[in-house]
Amino acid sequence: MAKSSYSNPLGMVDILPDQTPTWRALEQIIHEEAAKFNFQEIRTPILEATELIKRGVGQLTDIVTKEIFAFQKGDTHYVLRPELTAPVVRSFVQHHLDQRGGIQKLYYIGPMFRAERPQKGRQRQFHQFGLEIIGSANPVADIETVAFMIRIYQRIGINNFTLKLNSIGGPESRERYKQVLRDYLEPHRSKLSELSQQRLYKNPMRILDSKEPEDQEFIDKAPIIHDYLDEDSALHFEKVKRGLQLLDIPFEIDPYLVRGMDYYTRTAFELSSPDLGSQDALAGGGRYDLLVEEIGGKPTSSVGFAAGMERLLIACEELNISLAEKSILDLYIVSLGEEARNWALSFLPELRAHGLSASMDYVGRSMKAQMKEANRELTHFTLIVGENELTNGTLILRNMVKSEEVTLSAKEVLSAILAHKKGPK
Ligand code: HAM
């Protein structure tokens, strides 16, 4: 029988050991910055009820119609979560987080799933970090959301980005605008792309998002939503703009920015990078004042964003930014013979209990092979232990960085390495 070979599912990648330090460094930055903003972490299941995502994200969105991974188990229909705004709101409503007092400022890091056609920067399993501020209608929440998002990129050293900002108003102004847009596009219907023709009646605002060349001339001249905003939304938009100016966060107004989910109201924004190629959206978000009620809670104004972590890491690569330093082992024990190996094995816990990282040969290799391994592992010190060294109490401690050797007793080894760690680097 032919030997079967397996590989990861299409668009879902393994994060290998040489990449995990970078991921952990990025996660660490997100946790640190979130703590500075007084945001709390939330973790929700990878699976959610299909109905929640349909309801939350929107029946007619690309995500729901084309991109969700869905399956049924018993009578329950599940999806792999394509995003976290609807699940976080579900959790907020389910656990009555509003009763804990104050507004909820919740951040998250984790995998999301969308059955898109994979390409650079677009995967089927990808990772987001994000934030949801639930319970504030004040523009301060929009401004802090954007400030947190920008802060992460700036701290990392990614400064080459464009922040696009729009207001898509409340439901009434949007309905009025949709009608105006339909009236404007209808006479050109046959010249629009097939997809836009389909959207003309169901969701004409999504036409503004179209990348099809034949739609562009009509989008360029389309009426803009700002002329149809209700007074409160217009005032809110002004305050968000002023806040961003106050914080020196540059932005561009894009009246045609509409996001891919149905839950947005008022503020919508997207951060893109010229270093990313065709999948250039680093992050996106906006206000969703009606979603909590839609999912069964009391009316609760909210705003948030999510950012693609793979795309952030691609930008780092393009800019030659490395987030993680290569970790160096404190001590590798080269042991020869059974007795030396047992001694090494029992010395390891003591080293580790003192906060040192330490390892040894697991295979029973020759001294030369073990020295080679110590070099490959990038170790600061190597300790050479054979039966003679044990009997005489003269172990050889080699500083691999300085290429120096000293002969020490077992007791002295520990204090020598500790002293070196504490001392000036
Ligand atoms: P989104 O724009 O769909 O928004 O996703 C946010 C970010 O996730 C994108 O800007 C992109 O960087 C990354 N992303 C999306 N799809 C993929 C993919 N297939 N492969 C790699 N990266 C991807 C949301 O998800 C909303 N929940 C954001 C939000 C939070 N709005 C309010 N609160």
Side-chain angles (χ1 to χ4, degrees), residues 39 51 86 94 102 107 118 174 258 300 309 370 373 399 404 410:
F39 299 152
E51 206 37 50
Q94 182 181 342
Y107 79 99
R174 215 160 38 241
V258 282
T300 311
M309 293 171 74
Q370 289 188 46
E373 169 87 355
N399 185 328
E404 288 169 4

Side-chain angles (χ1 to χ4, degrees), residues 83 85 108 114 116 121-123 126 128 131-132 259 261 263-264 281-286 288 304-308 311:
E83 59 103 53
T85 309
Y108 48 80
R114 295 184 194 175
E116 296 187 80
R122 188 162 73 189
Q123 295 178 186
F126 60 99
Q128 286 184 342
L131 164 74
E132 312 295 347
R259 306 251 314 123
M261 290 95 178
Y263 47 63
Y264 290 112
L282 281 170
Y288 47 95
F305 83 95
R311 293 188 191 176

Side-chain angles (χ1 to χ4, degrees), residues 54-71:
K54 282 191 175 163
R55 192 82 192 250
V57 174
Q59 292 276 5
L60 297 176
T61 57
D62 284 354
I63 292 185
V64 167
T65 55
K66 298 188 215 148
E67 297 168 5
I68 46 176
F69 286 99
F71 67 97

Side-chain angles (χ1 to χ4, degrees), residues 254-266:
D254 179 354
Y256 300 129
L257 174 71
V258 282
R259 306 251 314 123
M261 290 95 178
D262 283 354
Y263 47 63
Y264 290 112
T265 52
R266 296 192 172 173

